[in-house]
Amino acid sequence: MSTTKTNPGNYFEDFHVGQIIRHATPRTLTVGDAALYMGLYGPRFAVQSSDAFARTIGYPSAPLDDLLVFHTVFGKTVPDISLNAIANLGYADCRFEKPVYPGATLSTVSEVIGLKENSNGKTGTVYVRSTGADEKGETVLSYTRWVMVRKKDEASPAPEAVVPALPEIVAPEALAAAVPAIDVSRFDTNLSGSPFRWGDYEVGEKIDHVDGMTVEEAEHQIATRLYQNTAKVHFNQHTEGQGRFGRRLIYGGVVISLARALSFNGLNNAFHLAAINAGRHVAPLFAGDTVYAWSEVLDKAELPGRSDIGALRTRLVAVKNRACADFPFKTAEGGYEEGVILDLDVWLAIPK
Amino acid sequence: MSTTKTNPGNYFEDFHVGQIIRHATPRTLTVGDAALYMGLYGPRFAVQSSDAFARTIGYPSAPLDDLLVFHTVFGKTVPDISLNAIANLGYADCRFEKPVYPGATLSTVSEVIGLKENSNGKTGTVYVRSTGADEKGETVLSYTRWVMVRKKDEASPAPEAVVPALPEIVAPEALAAAVPAIDVSRFDTNLSGSPFRWGDYEVGEKIDHVDGMTVEEAEHQIATRLYQNTAKVHFNQHTEGQGRFGRRLIYGGVVISLARALSFNGLNNAFHLAAINAGRHVAPLFAGDTVYAWSEVLDKAELPGRSDIGALRTRLVAVKNRACADFPFKTAEGGYEEGVILDLDVWLAIPK
Amino acid sequence: MSTTKTNPGNYFEDFHVGQIIRHATPRTLTVGDAALYMGLYGPRFAVQSSDAFARTIGYPSAPLDDLLVFHTVFGKTVPDISLNAIANLGYADCRFEKPVYPGATLSTVSEVIGLKENSNGKTGTVYVRSTGADEKGETVLSYTRWVMVRKKDEASPAPEAVVPALPEIVAPEALAAAVPAIDVSRFDTNLSGSPFRWGDYEVGEKIDHVDGMTVEEAEHQIATRLYQNTAKVHFNQHTEGQGRFGRRLIYGGVVISLARALSFNGLNNAFHLAAINAGRHVAPLFAGDTVYAWSEVLDKAELPGRSDIGALRTRLVAVKNRACADFPFKTAEGGYEEGVILDLDVWLAIPK
């Protein structure tokens, strides 16, 4: 006798607009997770790295890396949203709303905000707004994501198409919520690794982050399990060896974290990832590949009511197996250049 | 001048029935170990994953994974019991007797409870009862294990054969010790990932845990060192490359932890490994192999005095490089099927 | 528009004697780092492994591994001192001055104490004295290191040569600072794994530490990132694949930590690395290599005012892909034997 107590995941026709999904498993993040995050990516931003530095400027202690929070909140949605997904199409309107400290327990709730069946009748796009909250129920992070999901039964009728209006960028008013008032006079730029503050960056400026980091199978698997992200393609060589790429695909979040960690070299004081305006995984990354990154300053914004910090809007581009001195991005035809793997539009908070 | 201050391990004739061995090294387990355990295997049971969830149902905080406790207690016995072992023959009567929280310091004492020389006069079986205790001296775990150990001197006389009587299964009365009274009305099955409780499982039911996990050398080495398990075969490619398998052998405990983590998919609410009735490593696992698992419900038991939780006796089978939709186990001849690597008979605690 | 906000590192002519460099990034070490350190190397010294053991003998809790402190303090110096280094020439006068517990925040300041241009006019040796301090500003570690650094402009004039006088060994008076008074009557040698104390070791004694440990790319990368050490040669296969060795070079500190962890087998009670008198990386280590180690007792010293502990001066030799039963070291011609990778002269503290 065999039964189906395992999770088959949801198919396109299992979703409806307005549907609320409370995801398993709540997760307490600790200094243990922070250490492992450090070992996996090597970030060096002083605020997240040092309790003493964080306290000096006004935090109660070092907050967890914003992307550790993001990956944890995101990972919970995988079994319900993207187990039968063909592609992760994009992110938008991702806002970090509260600092998260070791000891916080995060859980995630998603609402289906859009559905659009594809003309082939076999797949459709599901839009979800996911919200991560801490153990007090307070939102720490929210973002919109859309994925292409398979239909289980191609004969099932198409739902009414609903495509949500998404902001192109997160408004500056929403950016400072996760940063307490800081005492910039005590922000020691020797310790933070660079003298450059908000005023030193110019719109249009491009920064080659120089360093490259080669990724191993063990590293991305440990990272992805740490987030309790269960997407099969990251872990199973037995099946992936016979699949599309012949090998395991690295979780896109690993690319984001590596690019962000590499971006320290040139954006040392931009200690807080305040928002992800838009994001796209342009090409896959595999073990043995080397990740490089570069940034372009797209915009600058004052933050309402904040004289301590300002915001830089940057494009963070990750590239594989190719240095970024020439800032590889798009071809004349408008496609991405060979090697580009990530195109992320973000807001960063940085002392003024 | 060279001396022998290193540990040569014990040989068969070094053991005598009734011998008590206090093992090095005491080990404080922390949230750091819990995070690394999460990164290495990816378990998702809500109780161990979330302080908030654990507190809601009656724990003071999230307990450590039962198998992290097991591997830590076990690892200490290796230098004294199995450094000269040829094979780890089996486990029995393994009871988890007290919840273990971050900050606890574990140490292990073993008693030799049986000895039986093999007819070849070169080896013998050593039976030990090992007990792990915390810093208060309270038992957290005890189990019996038997291993085949080499004789140093084949001419040394055989000891009187003593083979301990071992219970086939741990009695249900002994199962609930490590679980405080829990408030099942507050056990949120959205957060735990499944609606299925004790009453939903039937004897004879088989569950394919579906997912597969490929193991890398770095992963099993990091895990095995975390337990301070010093068995040489897991770490030394220089010697193992010339040995029986031509490569490093993965610690059997890694297989148990992976199978247990995979079993979340279908046994989501069976949050506590209450006992190991019997266990056998059927075949070796190597880096690059992919582990799958399936379970069969062998029995169900009420727990005396407990209306909150019940017990499921399951067979947890781990298989390599082969999916488990057909529940691979034994051949018509009674041997194990190709690919089966672990046959574990356990009691699980699950809310009623 | 591209700008240079990234760190180009310092070249030989950028240094001057007396120069003080305050390094980024301050780093809080936690139980998470301790767990990862354990998983990466597998040390088993009871004092660092167990809060209960440490408290019993007089510590407030288990201190962090001395080498985790060393690597963290060292890592901070890399972007400023050795980003343009050709070779790490040596260490001397390294003193562990204060025990470091989880929660401490470490930062590093270096002073340039010597400069000597090489006769080729292309490179020079830079001598720095680096001091690691905790969040109270108290020194936890100090050491001298000298590296060969490239000149940016070969035409720039040679500075006046200053070569600091370095002590051949750290004086015994300076050795006990990081060990509180301990109650040796409560130092349980069953739990510590060996009965051998200070009095049991003799000058001239050689100890083969027996075990070998194979290193994987993921392991050394995780370790080196944990220390926020950014030296490019450890991480970038894309460039190193075309470089001198055709592959990534393992950070020498990984070798030191592995050799130290292996040395537990034979030096079980020598729980504290009190000083590094001198050190030299004799040959590179690569992923896939297996590290062995042996020690020779070079000297013994009483510690002024301390009846609880004494010091052993040992040579700790690490060797790759070759067992150490014959204590490989130097050839008749005075060079190092094939396989030797580390020659470290240290003081160890051990109960009397």
Side-chain angles (χ1 to χ4, degrees):
Chain A
M1 174 183 53
S2 77
T3 54
T4 324
K5 290 200 166 65
T6 50
N7 172 30
N10 288 310
Y11 290 85
F12 182 68
E13 58 265 53
D14 296 323
F15 295 100
H16 62 268
V17 172
Q19 183 178 0
I20 303 288
I21 302 172
R22 295 178 62 234
H23 306 288
T25 300
R27 172 88 155 82
T28 303
L29 293 174
T30 69
V31 291
D33 299 292
L36 198 40
Y37 191 89
M38 176 80 72
L40 291 166
Y41 308 112
R44 288 182 287 143
F45 298 99
V47 173
Q48 285 78 14
S49 184
S50 166
D51 280 336
F53 189 97
R55 284 185 188 124
T56 296
I57 64 168
Y59 279 86
S61 68
L64 292 171
D65 195 286
D66 301 298
L67 287 169
L68 173 57
V69 172
F70 178 83
H71 300 322
T72 300
V73 169
F74 180 97
K76 299 185 188 328
T77 70
V78 170
D80 300 313
I81 305 298
S82 48
L83 211 62
N84 301 306
I86 294 162
N88 198 15
L89 299 173
Y91 310 103
D93 195 18
C94 173
R95 292 177 245 147
F96 294 85
E97 305 192 19
K98 187 185 171 187
V100 180
Y101 301 100
T105 298
L106 303 185
S107 54
T108 310
V109 173
S110 295
E111 178 178 359
V112 179
I113 59 169
L115 286 174
K116 186 168 185 304
E117 185 165 306
N118 287 326
S119 54
N120 62 15
K122 297 178 179 175
T123 58
T125 300
V126 180
Y127 296 81
V128 292
R129 181 81 191 160
S130 297
T131 302
D134 64 17
E135 72 283 1
K136 296 172 188 159
E138 295 175 3
T139 297
V140 300
L141 172 69
S142 61
Y143 65 94
T144 298
R145 171 193 181 207
W146 54 107
V147 291
M148 193 190 301
V149 178
R150 236 179 283 274
K151 292 177 71 175
K152 187 157 44 183
D153 175 8
E154 293 182 16
S156 64
E160 186 189 357
V162 176
V163 175
L166 295 170
E168 208 170 301
I169 63 162
V170 176
E173 291 71 27
L175 295 179
V179 183
I182 70 170
D183 182 347
V184 285
S185 73
R186 304 188 72 190
F187 194 100
D188 182 328
T189 55
N190 276 307
L191 293 179
S192 70
S194 161
F196 303 115
R197 295 165 180 259
W198 185 77
D200 298 308
Y201 290 87
E202 287 180 55
V203 174
E205 182 174 350
K206 292 181 178 178
I207 303 162
D208 172 12
H209 301 307
V210 180
D211 305 301
M213 190 75 79
T214 304
V215 185
E216 301 295 321
E217 298 281 12
E219 293 169 350
H220 77 83
Q221 292 199 144
I222 291 173
T224 309
R225 279 187 297 249
L226 191 70
Y227 317 135
Q228 299 181 309
N229 179 327
T230 61
K232 298 167 200 287
V233 294
H234 309 316
F235 299 114
N236 188 329
Q237 183 58 32
H238 182 237
T239 53
E240 296 311 307
Q242 296 151 13
R244 186 157 51 130
F245 300 112
R247 44 197 173 147
R248 283 162 277 176
L249 185 64
I250 294 177
Y251 164 49
V254 168
V255 178
I256 299 177
S257 282
L258 279 171
R260 168 75 177 147
L262 291 170
S263 78
F264 174 81
N265 195 354
L267 285 164
N268 313 48
N269 290 330
F271 65 87
H272 174 53
L273 178 63
I276 299 175
N277 295 309
R280 187 171 161 199
H281 296 291
V282 174
L285 182 74
F286 303 105
D289 286 340
T290 301
V291 176
Y292 293 85
W294 65 272
S295 293
E296 178 176 0
V297 180
L298 300 176
D299 200 0
K300 296 178 67 171
E302 304 266 357
L303 297 177
R306 301 292 295 250
S307 59
D308 50 349
I309 52 174
L312 298 178
R313 182 178 162 211
T314 66
R315 170 179 291 123
L316 175 60
V317 178
V319 179
K320 65 177 176 184
N321 305 326
R322 175 174 171 182
C324 292
D326 61 346
F327 308 108
F329 189 46
K330 290 190 174 177
T331 62
E333 290 73 34
Y336 286 96
E337 284 191 37
E338 179 70 22
V340 175
I341 54 178
L342 175 74
D343 178 6
L344 204 67
D345 180 332
V346 300
W347 279 114
L348 305 174
I350 183 168
K352 292 178 86 168
Chain B
M1 175 183 52
S2 77
T3 55
T4 325
K5 287 200 169 64
T6 50
N7 172 30
N10 288 311
Y11 289 87
F12 183 68
E13 60 264 53
D14 295 323
F15 294 101
H16 63 266
V17 172
Q19 183 178 0
I20 304 290
I21 302 172
R22 296 178 63 233
H23 305 289
T25 300
R27 172 89 156 82
T28 302
L29 292 173
T30 69
V31 293
D33 299 291
L36 199 39
Y37 191 89
M38 176 81 72
L40 290 166
Y41 307 112
R44 289 182 287 143
F45 298 98
V47 173
Q48 285 78 16
S49 184
S50 165
D51 281 336
F53 189 97
R55 283 184 189 125
T56 296
I57 64 168
Y59 280 86
S61 69
L64 293 171
D65 195 287
D66 301 299
L67 287 168
L68 173 56
V69 172
F70 177 82
H71 299 322
T72 302
V73 169
F74 180 96
K76 299 184 187 330
T77 70
V78 170
D80 299 313
I81 305 298
S82 49
L83 210 63
N84 300 307
I86 296 161
N88 198 14
L89 299 172
Y91 310 102
D93 196 17
C94 173
R95 291 177 247 148
F96 293 85
E97 305 191 18
K98 188 185 171 186
V100 180
Y101 301 99
T105 299
L106 303 185
S107 54
T108 309
V109 173
S110 295
E111 178 178 358
V112 179
I113 60 169
L115 286 173
K116 186 169 185 305
E117 186 165 307
N118 287 326
S119 54
N120 62 15
K122 297 179 179 174
T123 58
T125 300
V126 180
Y127 296 82
V128 291
R129 180 83 192 159
S130 297
T131 302
D134 65 16
E135 71 284 1
K136 296 172 188 158
E138 295 175 4
T139 296
V140 299
L141 172 68
S142 61
Y143 66 93
T144 298
R145 171 194 182 207
W146 54 107
V147 291
M148 193 189 301
V149 178
R150 236 179 284 273
K151 292 177 72 175
K152 186 157 45 183
D153 175 8
E154 294 182 17
S156 64
E160 187 188 355
V162 175
V163 175
L166 295 171
E168 208 168 301
I169 62 164
V170 176
E173 291 72 26
L175 295 179
V179 184
I182 69 170
D183 181 345
V184 285
S185 72
R186 305 189 71 191
F187 194 100
D188 182 330
T189 55
N190 276 307
L191 292 179
S192 68
S194 162
F196 304 115
R197 293 166 180 257
W198 185 76
D200 298 308
Y201 289 87
E202 288 180 54
V203 174
E205 184 174 349
K206 291 181 179 178
I207 303 161
D208 172 13
H209 300 307
V210 181
D211 305 301
M213 191 74 80
T214 305
V215 185
E216 300 296 321
E217 297 282 12
E219 293 169 350
H220 78 83
Q221 291 199 146
I222 291 173
T224 309
R225 280 188 296 248
L226 191 70
Y227 317 136
Q228 298 181 309
N229 179 328
T230 60
K232 300 167 200 287
V233 292
H234 309 315
F235 300 112
N236 188 328
Q237 183 59 31
H238 182 237
T239 53
E240 296 309 308
Q242 297 151 12
R244 185 155 55 129
F245 300 111
R247 44 198 173 147
R248 283 161 278 177
L249 184 65
I250 294 177
Y251 164 48
V254 167
V255 177
I256 298 177
S257 281
L258 279 171
R260 168 74 178 149
L262 292 170
S263 79
F264 175 81
N265 195 354
L267 286 165
N268 313 48
N269 291 331
F271 65 86
H272 173 54
L273 179 62
I276 299 174
N277 296 307
R280 187 171 160 196
H281 296 292
V282 173
L285 182 74
F286 303 103
D289 286 339
T290 301
V291 176
Y292 293 86
W294 64 273
S295 292
E296 178 176 359
V297 180
L298 300 178
D299 200 1
K300 296 178 65 170
E302 304 266 359
L303 297 177
R306 301 292 294 252
S307 59
D308 52 348
I309 52 172
L312 298 178
R313 183 178 162 211
T314 66
R315 170 179 290 123
L316 176 59
V317 178
V319 178
K320 66 177 176 184
N321 305 326
R322 176 174 170 181
C324 291
D326 61 346
F327 308 107
F329 190 46
K330 289 193 174 176
T331 63
E333 291 72 35
Y336 286 95
E337 283 190 39
E338 181 69 24
V340 175
I341 54 177
L342 174 75
D343 179 6
L344 205 67
D345 180 334
V346 301
W347 279 113
L348 304 173
I350 183 168
K352 292 180 87 168
Chain C
M1 173 184 53
S2 77
T3 55
T4 323
K5 289 201 167 63
T6 50
N7 172 29
N10 288 310
Y11 290 86
F12 182 69
E13 59 265 52
D14 295 323
F15 295 101
H16 62 267
V17 172
Q19 183 179 1
I20 303 288
I21 303 171
R22 294 178 63 233
H23 305 289
T25 300
R27 170 88 156 84
T28 302
L29 293 173
T30 70
V31 292
D33 299 291
L36 199 39
Y37 191 89
M38 176 80 72
L40 290 166
Y41 307 112
R44 289 182 287 142
F45 298 98
V47 172
Q48 285 78 16
S49 184
S50 166
D51 281 336
F53 189 97
R55 283 183 189 126
T56 296
I57 64 168
Y59 280 85
S61 69
L64 293 170
D65 195 287
D66 301 299
L67 287 169
L68 174 56
V69 172
F70 178 83
H71 299 322
T72 302
V73 169
F74 180 96
K76 300 184 187 330
T77 69
V78 169
D80 299 313
I81 305 297
S82 48
L83 211 63
N84 299 307
I86 295 162
N88 198 13
L89 299 173
Y91 310 102
D93 196 18
C94 173
R95 291 178 246 149
F96 294 86
E97 304 191 20
K98 188 184 171 188
V100 179
Y101 301 99
T105 298
L106 303 185
S107 55
T108 309
V109 174
S110 294
E111 178 178 359
V112 179
I113 60 170
L115 286 173
K116 185 170 186 302
E117 185 164 308
N118 287 326
S119 54
N120 62 15
K122 298 178 179 175
T123 59
T125 300
V126 180
Y127 296 81
V128 290
R129 179 84 191 159
S130 297
T131 302
D134 64 17
E135 72 283 0
K136 296 172 189 159
E138 295 175 5
T139 297
V140 299
L141 172 69
S142 62
Y143 65 92
T144 298
R145 170 193 181 208
W146 54 108
V147 291
M148 193 189 300
V149 178
R150 235 179 286 272
K151 291 176 74 173
K152 186 157 44 184
D153 175 7
E154 295 183 16
S156 64
E160 185 189 359
V162 176
V163 175
L166 294 170
E168 208 170 302
I169 63 164
V170 176
E173 291 71 28
L175 295 179
V179 183
I182 70 170
D183 181 346
V184 285
S185 73
R186 304 188 73 190
F187 194 100
D188 183 328
T189 55
N190 276 307
L191 293 179
S192 69
S194 161
F196 305 115
R197 293 165 181 258
W198 185 77
D200 297 309
Y201 290 86
E202 287 179 55
V203 174
E205 184 174 349
K206 291 181 178 178
I207 303 162
D208 172 13
H209 300 306
V210 180
D211 305 302
M213 191 74 80
T214 304
V215 185
E216 301 295 321
E217 298 282 12
E219 294 170 349
H220 78 82
Q221 291 199 146
I222 292 173
T224 308
R225 280 187 296 248
L226 191 70
Y227 317 136
Q228 299 180 309
N229 179 327
T230 60
K232 299 166 200 285
V233 292
H234 308 315
F235 299 112
N236 188 329
Q237 183 59 33
H238 181 238
T239 52
E240 296 310 306
Q242 296 151 13
R244 184 156 53 131
F245 299 112
R247 44 197 173 149
R248 284 161 278 176
L249 185 64
I250 294 177
Y251 164 48
V254 168
V255 177
I256 298 177
S257 281
L258 278 171
R260 168 74 178 146
L262 292 169
S263 79
F264 175 81
N265 196 353
L267 286 164
N268 313 49
N269 291 330
F271 65 88
H272 173 53
L273 179 62
I276 299 174
N277 296 307
R280 186 171 161 199
H281 295 293
V282 172
L285 182 74
F286 303 104
D289 286 339
T290 301
V291 175
Y292 292 86
W294 64 272
S295 292
E296 178 176 0
V297 181
L298 300 177
D299 200 359
K300 297 178 66 171
E302 304 266 357
L303 297 176
R306 300 293 294 251
S307 59
D308 52 348
I309 52 173
L312 297 178
R313 183 179 163 212
T314 66
R315 169 180 290 124
L316 175 60
V317 178
V319 178
K320 67 177 175 184
N321 305 328
R322 175 173 171 181
C324 292
D326 62 345
F327 307 108
F329 190 46
K330 290 194 173 174
T331 63
E333 290 74 34
Y336 286 95
E337 284 190 38
E338 180 70 22
V340 175
I341 54 179
L342 175 73
D343 178 6
L344 205 67
D345 180 334
V346 300
W347 279 114
L348 305 173
I350 184 168
K352 292 178 86 168

